[in-house]
Amino acid sequence: MARALGLDQEQLLELRRQAAAERDEPDDPRSPGQEEIAGPPDSAVEDGAVPKAAPALHGRTGPVTLPPLTKEFTGREGELRDLLRRLNPVASACEPAGVRSGTAAPATVVVSAVMGMAGVGKTALALQAAHHARLRGWFPGGILFANLYGYSPQQERTPSEVADQFLGALGIKSEDIPVTAQGKLDTWRIALDRLTSEGRPLLVVLDNVRSAGQASALLPQPPHRGLVTSRQSLAALQGHRVDLAPLTPEEALDLVKQVLCAGGIRDERVSAEPEAATRLTQLCGYLPLALEIIAALLRSEPSRSLESQAGELIAARRRLSVIKIEETDAESRPMAVRASFDLSYRHLTEQQAAAFRLLAAAPGPDISSDAAAALLGDPGSRRLLGELSRAHLLTGSGDRWTMHDLIRLYAGEQGDAHSDGDRRDAALARLLEHYRTTSAEADTHLIGISGNRSPRFGGRRHALEWLDAEHTNLVAAATAAPQLGHPGVAVALAFSLSRYFEHRRYFDDWITLSSIARDVSREDGNRAGEGTALDRLGLGLRHLRRFEKAVAAHTEAAGIFQQMGDPGREALTLNHVGIALSGMGRTDEAIATYTRASGLLALSSDQPHLMASVIGNLGAALREAGRYEEAITAHSRAAETFRLIRDEAEEGSALTSLGGVLQHVGRYEEAIAAHSRALRIHQRLDDPYREAAALNNLGGAWQMTGRTEEAIGSLTRAAELFRALGDRYGQASALINLGEALQQTDRTQEAVSTLTRAARLFKQFDAHGHEARASHALGEVLLELGSAEEAVTVFSRTAELCRGLGDHGREAATLLGLAAAHEEADRPEAAATSYAQAATAFERAGDDPGKGWALTNLAGALLQAGRTGEALPAAESALQHNRRVVTHEPVAYTHVLAHSLMLLAWLREEEQQNLPGSLSAAKEAAELLTPLASTHPETYAASLRAALEQWAHVLDVLHRTREAEEVRRRLEKTADGGA
């Protein structure tokens, strides 16, 4: 074409340069197209394997100096796909920032820098990408690899040395390569330009680079590509970066399996010991180098179990010594995790190395910038943290910093060797003091009584945010403090974190730190500290419902304060004893204990807060004892005292208790007012747990007044808030109430879903009593929907639960529901069995009225089953029982007696036995129902009409026609609304 157009050589070369820079697809139509690069490269990339073959461009291929691939490579699919998309010489993804997609302007430097900590698999990923590119034919100019030994035992290589290597690989004779460093680099750039003019892009792979300066002089301009690996972030290097993290747990297991099974060996240990294999990968920190070493060790011992190897690694102090083999890799680097970390550590400055060592000594999984400043004794330490992060010895996220587990072990080893020079004891003392003072300042914002709040935090929310962020570190610091020579810090943290632990429901941490504080105080002879720690320990135990141990701890604390002559603290601990006793159901003992505590406090008037707390708890015990008016007086007094001393949190709790008693005695409007006030307080204090409880209580009160929509709104919010807090028990409690409220509004399908969720949650907690309540309500809704079979299943499960709990009353009520479901499903035989079981359960529960109702329905079910011979004596037995009951409960039970009389009258007539007796039974039933229908026509009018019809019918059978007509006239009058 050039000859036909009359172009000279210079014009032709210029056209070729433009084509190389701007064309949209490669010269060879057989090479991959753009759409292939945009998606997954090919199935081989997805599998992590290299394609078998690929075409070469122009039939010419430049030199390839890549090391061979390792056979064990797993995961990294996303990173590999990203690298290949950017290495493709024609991919638009390599355009610089600010250039719109689809434009032809090339980047000034095109490089993908693969970065990460030692042993994370940077070189393996880079070689995978380079080999894929070679077999796709993307770089006809060649692929040149160089290890710059930035982190290797060998001497670090200079850019001119690498340029000399690359020029020789490209076929330039040694005598044509300049001897000066600059001359070599200039010749390298000329060679790159020549390849550009020939349309033959080249890939440069620079491995193990320590600084941007090492690589920048060697990186080519487009259309060539560069690929760099480093343990540093190389921020000064323009280009795309791929930051490598350790493998995922699944990828780590796969890598171990690959190494064990390499070469066709059949090794089933990973699948045979899944738990041990998982623990093994965890102990290796999912780090590819560590995993490959451990797998190689196991491969050399095919009879050794994974459990045995994991056990050897558990000893943290020996772990780095275990993860090594006496070999080197292809770059002469030792196959040992510790040696690999050594190569990074030796390049740190003295200040960086000291910071690295001290950070590993900090208790807890991470550290904030402020805490690090205290540890390092340097307010400007954030710069050091950033430098360690860029070296991939530290990971930063926001204002928090973490170390990989194995790096932390390595840094700890180095710290032990330099502890004196680093002044580690003094550094840790500064850190512990930072945690102690800041926790105490945060606690000032959690105290309900207004007072001196630390200016360090902007308010309660800010203090809670700090405590949430530092929670794990604070527990670790308190636990480690005695061993670090600072037992006082452990005691101080235990006390200042108590309110936070209660607020966030971290009861296990509360118990752990209180136990440490007790032991430390006891050893120091600090009786006041020991008593306080025992009291705090009892509170944590009580929240976990370990009441016996809680009572013991509080009682021991009360004895200490009595010996010290401190009535105030003795009263405080007695107050807590009473709470634990109430939790055990020992109500009379609790009332006596509260009375004793209030007597101690009455001797002085300087502790109104504690007196209010004692009085409020006394109110709760009085309620349990059925002394409701006294309980209302006590809760009202407690709430008013808390209001006067401006402790809003406790005022809200007292109002909640007051609302509960008012609700119990039917004073619903007053209960709603109390719960509403409590809700507003907890919302204002940003106390979501108590807010959710207040919403649940308020919803129950709304429901009792018939304002069901308001109840549904409150209960829905309560359930959502409990769920967001992770309190599934509270969520289930709100869902029960919500389900019952939904049932009242005929939103039965929603009620089914809600009650099902509540029952399922309570089942997870083994809270069988609450599960039974939810399931019983669910069964009733299903029966209402006509889903008899589902109701049978639910009621059957509920009856079993109640039987196991020994709750015969609820068991009997559930069996009544089960019988009704059987009747709805047209199974009268099964219904009769359930009614008989219900009668037995009512008898065990001492519920004679309930037993009478079950016996009456049993007779009816036997009649429906066609077993009239059994039904008649059952009805006579039910009547005798109901006559005895009605003498004790004449008003509430009359309708049951009437029902049994009607049933007996019908059976006697059906069997033609004792027709006069049938007549008298029908007449008595009608007379019993007449006053009930007069006062409650909506409930009893239909039953009265049925009794009158039966009475008239028996008179007809006996041929007493005139009397039958008189009864029917009375029946007509009743139908018209008369008495």
Side-chain angles (χ1 to χ4, degrees):
M1 289 177 63
R3 282 193 297 269
L5 293 172
L7 300 177
D8 60 22
Q9 186 177 11
E10 185 175 341
Q11 291 172 314
L12 177 59
L13 288 175
E14 177 58 30
L15 284 174
R16 293 180 72 169
R17 289 190 190 96
Q18 293 180 24
E22 300 182 9
R23 62 181 175 236
D24 290 330
E25 53 186 41
D27 293 342
D28 192 329
R30 296 174 296 169
S31 62
Q34 181 65 29
E35 59 279 355
E36 182 183 351
I37 304 306
D42 51 39
S43 61
V45 173
E46 294 296 329
D47 297 335
V50 178
K52 299 292 184 185
L57 293 176
H58 305 299
R60 297 173 58 199
T61 302
V64 175
T65 63
L66 290 172
L69 283 174
T70 58
K71 293 183 179 180
E72 292 77 34
F73 182 83
T74 188
R76 311 296 195 200
E77 288 90 352
E79 292 91 342
L80 182 56
R81 195 158 44 237
D82 186 20
L83 282 180
L84 288 172
R85 184 166 58 90
R86 295 177 184 279
L87 289 180
N88 180 6
V90 298
S92 61
C94 290
E95 296 160 1
V99 178
R100 292 196 313 271
S101 178
T103 62
T108 55
V109 173
V110 181
V111 57
S112 290
V114 181
M115 303 172 301
M117 61 182 288
V120 81
K122 300 179 295 295
T123 300
L125 174 61
L127 290 178
Q128 283 283 331
H131 276 281
H132 273 285
R134 175 181 66 84
L135 293 173
R136 285 165 176 259
W138 285 351
F139 297 104
I143 301 178
L144 303 181
F145 175 90
N147 184 349
L148 276 69
Y149 298 118
Y151 294 93
S152 294
Q154 289 88 341
Q155 177 66 39
E156 187 175 315
R157 300 180 70 190
T158 66
S160 64
E161 291 174 335
V162 177
D164 191 80
Q165 172 194 331
F166 285 170
L167 291 171
L170 289 174
I172 298 177
K173 298 177 181 179
S174 57
E175 57 266 25
D176 294 332
I177 300 175
V179 294
T180 65
Q182 188 58 51
K184 295 178 190 297
L185 293 172
D186 289 341
T187 306
W188 165 241
R189 295 189 187 98
I190 292 170
L192 290 172
D193 284 342
R194 185 178 69 249
L195 290 171
T196 299
S197 67
E198 295 173 358
R200 300 172 63 219
L202 172 142
L203 172 62
V204 173
V205 182
L206 303 178
D207 188 33
N208 208 4
V209 172
R210 190 169 65 85
S211 66
Q214 258 190 312
S216 58
L218 295 167
L219 289 173
Q221 296 288 329
H224 309 296
R225 295 291 183 267
L227 183 57
V228 179
T229 74
S230 178
R231 300 185 189 186
Q232 290 282 348
S233 295
L234 304 180
L237 204 63
Q238 182 180 351
H240 175 71
R241 283 163 180 78
V242 178
D243 233 331
L244 285 192
L247 297 174
T248 65
E250 295 77 14
E251 292 169 347
L253 282 172
D254 188 46
L255 179 57
V256 172
K257 189 183 298 184
Q258 283 189 40
V259 176
L260 290 177
C261 298
I265 292 177
R266 186 179 180 84
D267 193 314
E268 304 290 344
R269 279 179 284 182
V270 171
S271 55
E273 302 178 68
E275 293 183 3
T278 298
R279 188 160 58 254
L280 198 65
T281 59
Q282 291 171 342
L283 291 167
C284 289
Y286 308 119
L287 193 65
L289 175 61
L291 292 164
E292 289 173 4
I293 293 171
I294 286 299
L297 290 170
L298 286 165
R299 182 182 168 91
S300 67
E301 296 183 80
S303 62
R304 184 175 191 181
S305 69
L306 302 189
E307 183 67 40
S308 169
Q309 182 66 79
E312 187 178 12
L313 289 176
I314 286 175
R317 286 292 179 185
R318 297 185 56 233
R319 195 176 308 165
L320 295 180
S321 299
V322 172
I323 308 177
K324 70 174 183 178
I325 51 179
E326 301 302 326
E327 296 179 12
T328 58
D329 63 12
E331 301 169 39
S332 300
R333 291 178 296 199
M335 292 293 286
V337 170
R338 180 188 285 115
S340 182
F341 292 161
D342 278 336
L343 299 173
S344 291
Y345 177 68
R346 69 169 60 167
H347 291 287
L348 296 178
T349 66
E350 184 176 340
Q351 189 180 22
Q352 291 169 346
F356 176 63
R357 296 188 294 264
L358 287 175
L359 288 168
D366 64 4
I367 192 166
S368 69
S369 296
D370 287 344
L375 175 73
L376 302 177
D378 179 4
S381 61
R382 189 179 182 91
R383 174 184 54 80
L384 275 174
L385 300 174
E387 290 168 353
L388 292 172
S389 176
R390 285 189 290 275
H392 289 89
L393 294 172
L394 197 64
T395 301
S397 177
D399 198 40
R400 308 199 71 79
W401 309 85
T402 60
M403 277 184 180
H404 186 275
D405 290 347
L406 296 182
I407 288 182
R408 187 171 188 136
L409 288 176
Y410 174 83
E413 288 182 352
Q414 300 301 319
D416 289 343
H418 297 81
S419 59
D420 292 339
D422 291 341
R423 296 175 54 84
R424 187 168 67 182
D425 290 344
L428 288 171
R430 290 193 300 269
L431 176 64
L432 292 174
E433 182 63 14
H434 164 77
Y435 284 145
R436 185 192 69 78
T437 57
T438 313
S439 295
E441 290 173 306
D443 187 48
T444 65
H445 291 271
L446 303 188
I447 298 173
I449 302 175
S450 59
N452 294 327
R453 310 287 196 207
S454 168
R456 184 185 189 109
F457 297 100
R460 179 185 176 88
R461 185 185 297 273
H462 185 199
L464 282 171
E465 287 174 354
W466 183 84
L467 287 166
D468 287 339
E470 296 288 3
H471 163 224
T472 308
N473 292 329
L474 293 171
V475 172
T479 304
Q483 288 73 39
L484 295 174
H486 300 277
V489 172
V491 176
L493 284 172
F495 294 168
S496 64
L497 292 173
S498 291
R499 262 179 286 267
Y500 170 70
F501 287 152
E502 182 178 22
H503 180 73
R504 289 296 192 228
R505 329 302 284 179
Y506 294 142
F507 302 127
D508 288 330
D509 290 335
W510 195 353
I511 290 170
T512 298
L513 266 60
S514 297
S515 299
I516 292 172
R518 174 202 59 195
D519 296 343
V520 167
S521 299
R522 186 175 291 164
E523 187 175 338
D524 290 346
N526 180 356
R527 295 287 281 165
E530 181 184 355
T532 302
L534 280 164
D535 191 40
R536 302 291 174 89
L537 173 61
L539 293 174
L541 290 165
R542 189 247 303 170
H543 278 293
L544 289 179
R545 307 187 67 79
R546 291 154 66 178
F547 295 118
E548 290 285 358
K549 291 185 176 181
V551 168
H554 290 312
T555 302
E556 187 179 354
I560 290 174
F561 291 128
Q562 185 181 40
Q563 293 170 8
M564 292 176 61
D566 190 336
R569 291 191 184 183
E570 182 185 355
L572 174 66
T573 52
L574 287 173
N575 184 35
H576 296 155
V577 171
I579 297 172
L581 288 169
S582 294
M584 299 169 68
R586 292 158 60 177
T587 308
D588 291 339
E589 294 176 71
I591 291 173
T593 303
Y594 292 133
T595 303
R596 179 183 163 196
S598 61
L600 287 170
L601 293 170
L603 300 175
S604 65
S605 58
D606 60 347
Q607 295 196 65
H609 185 277
L610 180 55
M611 178 64 91
S613 177
V614 171
I615 295 301
N617 291 329
L618 174 61
L622 289 167
R623 175 184 173 176
E624 289 297 317
R627 296 157 62 177
Y628 300 118
E629 290 304 322
E630 293 175 77
I632 290 171
T633 300
H635 287 311
S636 299
R637 180 182 165 192
E640 178 62 16
T641 303
F642 283 129
R643 186 187 66 79
L644 290 173
I645 62 178
R646 301 180 68 180
D647 186 341
E648 290 188 292
E650 291 301 328
E651 180 191 356
S653 296
L655 287 168
T656 295
S657 300
L658 173 61
V661 185
L662 290 168
Q663 189 171 326
H664 186 79
V665 298
R667 293 161 62 176
Y668 300 125
E669 294 299 333
E670 295 173 76
I672 288 171
H675 289 316
S676 297
R677 284 172 57 196
L679 174 62
R680 288 192 293 271
I681 288 172
H682 297 317
Q683 287 174 330
R684 185 165 59 250
L685 293 178
D686 189 26
D687 189 339
Y689 184 86
R690 287 179 174 172
E691 178 186 348
L695 283 166
N696 193 20
N697 294 328
L698 180 60
W702 283 122
Q703 190 174 352
M704 291 296 184
T705 62
R707 285 172 277 188
T708 314
E709 290 301 328
E710 289 93 333
I712 290 173
S714 291
L715 294 169
T716 300
R717 286 168 56 203
E720 290 173 349
L721 198 50
F722 277 127
R723 181 183 58 79
L725 291 167
D727 186 346
R728 294 183 297 165
Y729 196 91
Q731 179 189 1
S733 300
L735 287 173
I736 285 184
N737 296 332
L738 176 58
E740 292 172 345
L742 289 166
Q743 182 183 5
Q744 290 180 359
T745 60
D746 296 327
R747 291 159 63 176
T748 46
Q749 289 293 351
E750 293 178 67
V752 167
S753 173
T754 302
L755 291 168
T756 300
R757 286 163 56 204
R760 189 177 296 128
L761 285 169
F762 280 129
K763 185 176 182 180
Q764 293 174 3
F765 283 103
D766 291 329
H768 298 310
H770 291 296
E771 181 190 351
R773 177 191 161 195
S775 295
H776 184 88
L778 174 60
E780 290 181 335
V781 179
L782 290 169
L783 197 56
E784 188 178 323
L785 281 171
S787 302
E789 296 298 341
E790 294 178 64
V792 165
T793 301
V794 171
F795 279 131
S796 298
R797 160 74 178 166
T798 308
E800 290 176 8
L801 286 171
C802 295
R803 197 172 300 122
L805 292 166
D807 187 349
H808 299 302
R810 180 166 285 170
E811 177 192 359
T814 300
L815 287 167
L816 288 181
L818 177 60
H822 281 309
E823 287 180 325
E824 183 71 22
D826 197 23
R827 289 196 291 265
E829 294 279 1
T833 300
S834 294
Y835 281 130
Q837 292 173 342
T840 301
F842 276 127
E843 184 175 5
R844 289 174 179 165
D847 186 345
D848 281 339
K851 179 182 176 182
W853 184 250
L855 289 171
T856 302
N857 285 340
L858 169 60
L862 289 169
L863 177 61
Q864 290 293 325
R867 295 160 60 182
T868 52
E870 298 171 67
L872 184 57
E876 290 173 342
S877 176
L879 179 61
Q880 292 172 7
H881 180 86
N882 290 333
R883 284 197 187 282
R884 288 195 302 270
V885 173
V886 81
T887 59
H888 303 291
E889 301 186 44
V891 177
Y893 203 69
T894 300
H895 72 287
V896 181
L897 176 60
H899 185 75
S900 61
L901 284 164
M902 291 169 63
L903 182 63
L904 181 62
W906 196 94
L907 282 166
R908 283 173 173 171
E909 180 191 345
E910 183 73 13
E911 293 293 305
Q912 292 296 303
Q913 294 183 15
N914 190 5
L915 286 177
S918 175
L919 178 63
S920 63
K923 179 181 178 180
E924 184 181 359
E927 296 301 337
L928 288 171
L929 288 167
T930 296
L932 293 176
S934 177
T935 55
H936 302 286
E938 70 286 351
T939 305
Y940 298 111
S943 297
L944 174 59
R945 287 194 293 272
L948 289 170
E949 287 174 354
Q950 190 175 37
W951 183 8
H953 179 71
V954 177
L955 286 168
D956 285 337
V957 172
L958 292 172
H959 304 293
R960 296 164 61 172
T961 307
R962 188 172 62 182
E963 294 175 72
E965 289 177 353
E966 290 178 2
V967 173
R968 287 193 172 92
R969 281 195 293 272
R970 183 176 170 183
L971 178 60
E972 290 173 0
K973 185 178 179 182
T974 302
D976 292 337

